[in-house]
Coordinates of all heavy atoms in Angstrom, one line a residue:
R1 N 0.9 -1.2 0.0 CA 0.0 0.0 0.0 C 0.9 1.3 0.0 O 1.9 1.3 0.8 CB -0.8 0.0 1.3 CG -1.9 -1.1 1.2 CD -3.0 -0.9 2.3 NE -2.7 0.1 3.3 CZ -2.3 -0.2 4.6 NH1 -2.0 -1.4 5.0 NH2 -2.0 0.8 5.4
S2 N 0.5 2.2 -0.8 CA 1.3 3.4 -0.9 C 1.3 4.2 0.4 O 2.3 5.0 0.7 CB 0.8 4.4 -2.1 OG -0.5 4.7 -1.8
D3 N 0.3 4.1 1.2 CA 0.2 4.8 2.5 C 0.9 4.0 3.6 O 1.0 4.6 4.7 CB -1.3 5.1 2.9 CG -2.0 3.8 3.2 OD1 -1.6 2.7 2.8 OD2 -3.2 3.9 3.7
A4 N 1.5 3.0 3.2 CA 2.3 2.2 4.3 C 3.7 2.2 4.1 O 4.5 1.7 4.9 CB 1.8 0.7 4.3
V5 N 4.3 2.9 3.1 CA 5.8 3.0 2.9 C 6.4 3.7 4.0 O 5.8 4.6 4.7 CB 6.1 3.6 1.5 CG1 5.6 2.7 0.3 CG2 5.6 5.1 1.4
T6 N 7.6 3.4 4.3 CA 8.3 3.9 5.5 C 9.1 5.1 5.2 O 9.8 5.6 6.2 CB 9.3 2.8 6.0 OG1 10.2 2.4 5.0 CG2 8.5 1.5 6.4
L7 N 9.1 5.7 4.1 CA 9.8 6.9 3.8 C 8.9 7.8 3.0 O 8.1 7.4 2.2 CB 11.1 6.6 2.9 CG 12.0 7.7 2.6 CD1 12.7 8.2 3.9 CD2 13.1 7.2 1.6
D8 N 8.9 9.1 3.3 CA 8.1 10.1 2.6 C 8.4 10.3 1.2 O 9.5 10.9 0.9 CB 8.0 11.4 3.4 CG 7.1 12.3 2.9 OD1 6.1 12.0 2.3 OD2 7.3 13.6 3.1
C9 N 7.7 9.6 0.3 CA 8.1 9.7 -1.1 C 6.9 10.1 -2.0 O 5.7 9.9 -1.6 CB 8.5 8.3 -1.7 SG 10.0 7.7 -1.0
E10 N 7.2 10.8 -3.0 CA 6.1 11.3 -4.0 C 5.7 10.2 -4.8 O 6.7 9.4 -5.4 CB 6.6 12.5 -4.8 CG 7.0 13.7 -3.9 CD 7.6 14.8 -4.8 OE1 7.3 14.9 -6.0 OE2 8.5 15.5 -4.3
P11 N 4.5 10.0 -5.1 CA 4.1 8.9 -6.0 C 4.4 9.2 -7.4 O 4.4 10.4 -7.8 CB 2.6 8.8 -5.8 CG 2.2 10.1 -5.2 CD 3.4 10.7 -4.5
A12 N 4.8 8.2 -8.2 CA 5.1 8.4 -9.6 C 4.5 7.4 -10.5 O 4.6 6.1 -10.1 CB 6.7 8.4 -9.8
D13 N 3.9 7.7 -11.5 CA 3.4 6.8 -12.5 C 4.4 6.6 -13.6 O 5.6 7.1 -13.5 CB 2.1 7.3 -13.1 CG 2.2 8.6 -13.8 OD1 3.2 9.2 -14.1 OD2 1.0 9.1 -14.0
D14 N 4.2 5.8 -14.7 CA 5.2 5.5 -15.7 C 5.6 6.8 -16.4 O 6.7 7.0 -16.7 CB 4.6 4.5 -16.7 CG 4.3 3.1 -16.2 OD1 5.0 2.8 -15.2 OD2 3.4 2.5 -16.7
A15 N 4.7 7.7 -16.7 CA 5.0 8.9 -17.4 C 6.0 9.8 -16.5 O 6.9 10.4 -17.0 CB 3.7 9.7 -17.7
A16 N 5.7 9.9 -15.2 CA 6.6 10.7 -14.3 C 8.0 10.1 -14.3 O 9.0 10.8 -14.3 CB 6.0 10.7 -12.9
V17 N 8.1 8.7 -14.3 CA 9.4 8.1 -14.3 C 10.1 8.4 -15.6 O 11.4 8.7 -15.6 CB 9.3 6.5 -14.1 CG1 10.6 5.8 -14.4 CG2 8.8 6.2 -12.7
A18 N 9.5 8.3 -16.7 CA 10.1 8.7 -17.9 C 10.6 10.2 -18.0 O 11.7 10.4 -18.5 CB 9.1 8.5 -19.2
R19 N 9.7 11.0 -17.4 CA 10.2 12.4 -17.3 C 11.4 12.6 -16.4 O 12.4 13.4 -16.7 CB 9.0 13.3 -16.8 CG 8.1 13.8 -17.9 CD 7.1 14.9 -17.3 NE 6.4 14.6 -16.0 CZ 5.3 13.8 -16.1 NH1 4.8 13.3 -17.2 NH2 4.8 13.5 -14.9
M20 N 11.4 11.9 -15.3 CA 12.6 12.0 -14.4 C 13.9 11.6 -15.1 O 14.8 12.3 -15.0 CB 12.3 11.2 -13.2 CG 11.5 11.7 -12.0 SD 11.4 10.7 -10.7 CE 9.8 10.1 -10.8
I21 N 13.8 10.4 -15.8 CA 14.9 10.0 -16.4 C 15.4 10.9 -17.6 O 16.6 11.1 -17.7 CB 14.7 8.6 -17.1 CG1 14.5 7.5 -15.8 CG2 15.8 8.1 -18.0 CD1 14.0 6.2 -16.2
D22 N 14.5 11.5 -18.3 CA 14.8 12.5 -19.4 C 15.3 13.8 -18.8 O 16.1 14.4 -19.5 CB 13.6 12.7 -20.2 CG 13.2 11.6 -21.1 OD1 14.0 10.6 -21.3 OD2 12.1 11.5 -21.6
T23 N 15.0 14.2 -17.6 CA 15.4 15.6 -17.2 C 16.5 15.5 -16.2 O 16.9 16.7 -15.9 CB 14.1 16.3 -16.5 OG1 13.7 15.4 -15.4 CG2 12.9 16.4 -17.5
H24 N 17.0 14.5 -15.9 CA 18.3 14.5 -15.0 C 19.5 14.3 -15.9 O 19.4 13.6 -16.9 CB 18.1 13.4 -14.0 CG 17.3 13.8 -12.9 ND1 15.9 13.6 -12.9 CD2 17.5 14.3 -11.6 CE1 15.3 14.0 -11.9 NE2 16.3 14.4 -11.0
D25 N 20.5 15.0 -15.5 CA 21.8 14.8 -16.3 C 22.4 13.5 -16.1 O 23.1 13.0 -17.1 CB 22.8 15.9 -15.8 CG 22.2 17.4 -16.1 OD1 21.8 17.6 -17.2 OD2 22.2 18.2 -15.2
V26 N 22.4 13.0 -14.9 CA 23.0 11.7 -14.6 C 21.9 10.8 -13.9 O 21.3 11.2 -12.9 CB 24.2 11.9 -13.6 CG1 24.8 10.5 -13.2 CG2 25.2 12.8 -14.2
V27 N 21.9 9.6 -14.5 CA 20.9 8.6 -13.9 C 21.7 7.4 -13.5 O 22.4 6.8 -14.5 CB 19.8 8.3 -15.0 CG1 18.9 7.2 -14.4 CG2 18.9 9.5 -15.4
L28 N 21.6 7.0 -12.3 CA 22.4 5.8 -11.9 C 21.3 4.8 -11.4 O 20.6 5.1 -10.5 CB 23.3 6.2 -10.7 CG 24.3 7.2 -11.0 CD1 25.0 7.7 -9.8 CD2 25.3 6.7 -12.1
S29 N 21.4 3.5 -11.9 CA 20.4 2.6 -11.6 C 21.1 1.4 -10.9 O 22.0 0.8 -11.5 CB 19.6 2.2 -12.9 OG 18.7 1.2 -12.6
F30 N 20.6 1.0 -9.8 CA 21.1 -0.1 -9.1 C 20.0 -1.1 -8.8 O 19.0 -0.8 -8.4 CB 21.7 0.4 -7.7 CG 22.9 1.2 -7.8 CD1 22.7 2.6 -8.0 CD2 24.1 0.7 -7.8 CE1 23.8 3.4 -8.2 CE2 25.3 1.5 -7.9 CZ 25.1 2.9 -8.0

């Protein structure tokens, strides 16, 4: 459940993830 996560995070859908990847200069994925 999104209201049960243990860290205060903003919700992101697929389009938001794509925008984040496109708008950051450096993307590191682990």
Side-chain angles (χ1 to χ4, degrees):
R1 291 188 352 256
S2 61
D3 62 348
V5 298
T6 59
L7 188 64
D8 185 24
C9 294
E10 298 174 30
D13 59 14
D14 292 335
V17 169
R19 274 192 307 279
M20 276 183 256
I21 291 170
D22 287 343
T23 60
H24 284 81
D25 299 309
V26 178
V27 177
L28 303 167
S29 179
F30 294 86

